[in-house]
Amino acid sequence: MLRNVLFRMTQGTHWLGIDRNGVLKHAVHRLQEPPVFMKWQAHGPIRQFCAIPSENQVHVLAQCDTGIYYLKCSLDTGLQQERCIERRATGGFPYLFMHRSALYICYIVTEQGALTFIMKSCHQGVWRERSVAFPDMRPGQTGQRVAQALFTVSEQGRLYGLFHVCSDDEEHHALELLEVDIEHASEKVWMRLFAAAQVRQRWSIGLSVDDDGRPHAAWTIHSGSAAASYYANPTRISGSCMPLSVRFEDAEPQPYFICRGEMLLLLLVEESGRIAAAYSTDYGECWSPFSDIHFSPQAQLSIVQSVISEPDRIVPVLLLGLGAPYFRPIEEIDLLNSFSAMKALLPVDTGFAFYGLQMEQLFRHFESQVEGLQSAVNELDSGNEVKEMSLQQLIEQCRVLEQTECEVLAEIKKLQDTSDTEPFSLRFIL
């Protein structure tokens, strides 16, 4: 269960997690300064939560034993506001995001063995709700539960949910993909990506969306000592099984995507620091063989929830990265360096694909550096314009004072010329 949330703001690097008492602990880390700690409590012990930052506040959707609660916590004062979203204790898998100034809250409710996905939105103080019933795994069956759930939101305004659903006896499993158009309540689509009938299976699921808004799903199934990996997208569901060419010793690796245009990197991540990587250059139609990459345990490799913060949206995302508390996401260039260090003999097409990734990564890095420098230059120009305007105003004030001084001296001379008093003089020191 994911229990760590990370985001960066001007105050520093923020970490949120749940302690063993169900209290939300918040730590802010700054360079060369001791960390600052805060605690936030809901109506009961928090079991799961999702959080996003916005305008010096943290919005939290928490699952408690007594229901689902929305918390709005101030980073300045530590004060919090609480609102009950769902009083049924069967609500779970909380998720929230912002899209075009509206706050969206999502969760799953289990009632009498039936599953329902609920999404509520708040825009300008007005709340709206829509619900989507889960499809039955088989006709007449009602006893089912959600074992895992992942969400993501595309730039085009579509919510995707990936759900691992299993029967109460764990004999039947299904992987469901839900697509919901956020702005059009009637547009929602269910897609069954995979179905299996075998007990004592262990699953791990991964979900991402590329720049063009296409969703990509991957999952691993561990049964006994064998592990298999699968991939699917809405246009290529059938025949999407990918046999895994490496063995995982009694573990379920976590699937993780890195999407860059037509290029997809699929990483199967173990807690030990081992990664199996495969790539596709055609939006997931064809995949390369898996290659092994190993990171040192001291690298503290982990997957945490972070956020994508843009003017039109604030969306939670999963990030694979290194280090704590100063977390750095894994980039393509990290994987390339690992291949180079191992002196792996890559096929020609694989080498060219990775070299292209490396050049693209370097280009994006230099482009971001140039944009940062250009922004700094623009700020300096704006500051110089303000200072120049202030200087012109001071010069104009001095000119007015000099003119006033001349007029006053002329009046004094005029008075002296018309009177019999002794002449006197005034001297103004400006």
Side-chain angles (χ1 to χ4, degrees), residues 276-378:
Y279 77 93
S280 171
T281 58
D282 51 8
Y283 292 110
E285 291 299 314
C286 301
W287 289 89
S288 72
F290 281 94
S291 301
D292 256 355
I293 304 171
H294 292 271
F295 285 87
S296 168
Q298 287 74 23
Q300 297 179 293
L301 188 70
S302 60
I303 296 179
V304 302
Q305 181 209 299
S306 186
V307 294
I308 295 175
S309 184
E310 297 175 348
D312 288 340
R313 63 178 188 143
I314 303 176
V315 178
V317 295
L318 296 182
L319 279 187
L320 171 67
L322 307 167
Y326 301 105
F327 184 87
R328 183 179 71 82
I330 288 288
E331 298 284 354
E332 301 96 322
I333 197 168
D334 297 303
L335 308 178
L336 292 171
N337 289 340
S338 298
F339 281 126
S340 300
M342 293 188 297
K343 296 182 172 55
L345 297 176
L346 301 177
V348 175
D349 60 339
T350 306
F352 279 126
F354 277 110
Y355 295 148
L357 276 176
Q358 187 174 26
M359 295 305 295
E360 181 184 354
Q361 178 68 23
L362 292 174
F363 174 76
R364 287 201 312 273
H365 172 73
F366 290 128
E367 187 178 36
S368 64
Q369 293 293 321
V370 170
E371 290 177 355
L373 292 173
Q374 186 62 49
S375 177
V377 170
N378 292 337

Side-chain angles (χ1 to χ4, degrees), residues 24 41 66 74 131 141 161 180 184 193 209 220 259 296 309 380 383 389 398-399 412:
L24 193 63
Q41 293 179 325
T66 55
S74 172
S131 60
Q141 177 178 322
V180 178
H184 300 85
L193 302 185
V209 61
T220 57
C259 302
S296 168
S309 184
L380 289 174
M389 186 178 298
C398 289
R399 189 189 65 78
I412 293 174

